Amino acid sequence: MSIKRYGVEGGKGTGGQHLPFARAVEANGWLYVSGQVPMVNGEVVAGNIVAQSQQAIRNVLSILSEAGYGPEHVVR
């Protein structure tokens, strides 16, 4: 089974080791998206719960798009 990770660029730990975290992982025909937080460029967006929720959803849509998927492919 091949595994492809999305959103891992720039993740370095102590000693320059690559961190094992990914925003999403594609395996065996499925895309598993991790929980997203309301961040842009490493900073939590300012504002209330509405603004932060909208940013978290934009982050989910962004990783879906990067992997070649859209909201119509989501199951819950």
Side-chain angles (χ1 to χ4, degrees), residues 1 13-15 20 24 26 30 33-35 37-38 43 46 49 51-52 54 56-59 63 65 68 72:
M1 165 178 41
T14 57
E26 189 171 19
W30 288 86
V33 179
S34 67
V37 293
E43 298 292 328
I49 188 69
Q52 291 184 347
Q54 289 172 341
I57 291 169
R58 280 193 290 274
N59 291 349
I63 196 66
S65 177
E72 68 276 11

Side-chain angles (χ1 to χ4, degrees), residues 52-75:
Q52 291 184 347
S53 296
Q54 289 172 341
Q55 185 59 53
I57 291 169
R58 280 193 290 274
N59 291 349
V60 169
L61 294 174
S62 172
I63 196 66
L64 286 173
S65 177
E66 181 181 335
Y69 295 92
E72 68 276 11
H73 299 107
V74 174
V75 295

Side-chain angles (χ1 to χ4, degrees), residues 1-6 24-32 69:
M1 165 178 41
S2 67
I3 296 175
K4 184 172 183 181
R5 291 172 173 81
Y6 296 92
V25 174
E26 189 171 19
N28 204 25
W30 288 86
L31 182 71
Y32 299 90
Y69 295 92

